[in-house]
């Protein structure tokens, strides 16, 4: 089949991509905050005052691999949205190049 006979690939909009990235980033940030709060809380229970900055650094280090497991579906959704936006850009570029070459596109 040539390009004209292939079915159109569903593409994501930039708005969907922004929403997915914001949701994934927010979930990861919330995970960091929760882990930091747990570290500070455990420190207070034990009787050791842990600085918030130290707790935040350890929370970031702990949340990096943990978020890969916990938020796998969100990460996949972001990747699919990126692929959809890229495909839309490719199609728009191919259409523009076809028009510049003088092809009708029908």
């Amino acid at each position: 089949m040539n390009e004209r006979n292939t079915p159109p690939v569903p593409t994501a909009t930039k708005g969907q991509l922004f929403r997915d990235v914001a949701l994934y980033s927010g979930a990861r940030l919330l995970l960091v905050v929760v882990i930091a709060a747990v570290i500070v809380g455990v420190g207070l229970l034990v009787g050791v005052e842990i600085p918030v900055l130290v707790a935040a650094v350890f929370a970031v280090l702990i949340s990096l691999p943990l978020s890969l497991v916990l938020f796998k579906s969100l990460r996949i959704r972001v990747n699919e949205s990126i692929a959809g936006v890229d495909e839309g850009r490719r199609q728009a570029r191919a259409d523009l190049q076809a028009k510049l070459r003088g092809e009708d596109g029908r």
Side-chain angles (χ1 to χ4, degrees):
M1 277 187 192
N2 62 19
E3 287 184 67
R4 298 179 203 279
N5 294 335
T6 58
V9 176
T11 59
T13 63
K14 289 181 183 179
Q16 290 171 332
L17 175 61
F18 179 76
R19 183 199 64 214
D20 292 341
V21 168
L23 185 61
Y24 182 60
S25 299
R28 290 186 70 178
L29 186 60
L30 183 63
L31 181 64
V32 169
V33 169
V34 168
I35 292 173
V38 168
I39 291 171
V40 170
V42 168
L44 291 175
L45 286 176
V46 175
V48 177
E49 186 175 335
I50 299 174
V52 175
L53 185 60
V54 172
V57 169
F58 278 108
V60 166
L61 292 175
I62 293 169
S63 72
L64 286 173
L66 194 58
S67 66
L68 292 176
V69 175
L70 292 177
F71 306 130
K72 181 179 180 180
S73 62
L74 289 175
R75 191 179 73 250
I76 290 171
R77 205 161 85 184
V78 168
N79 289 340
E80 290 171 351
S81 294
I82 290 171
V85 168
D86 282 347
E87 182 59 33
R89 286 181 185 161
R90 268 189 227 104
Q91 288 176 355
R93 182 176 184 203
D95 289 345
L96 178 62
Q97 287 178 345
K99 288 178 184 177
L100 290 173
R101 285 189 303 266
E103 297 174 4
D104 191 10
R106 290 183 197 156

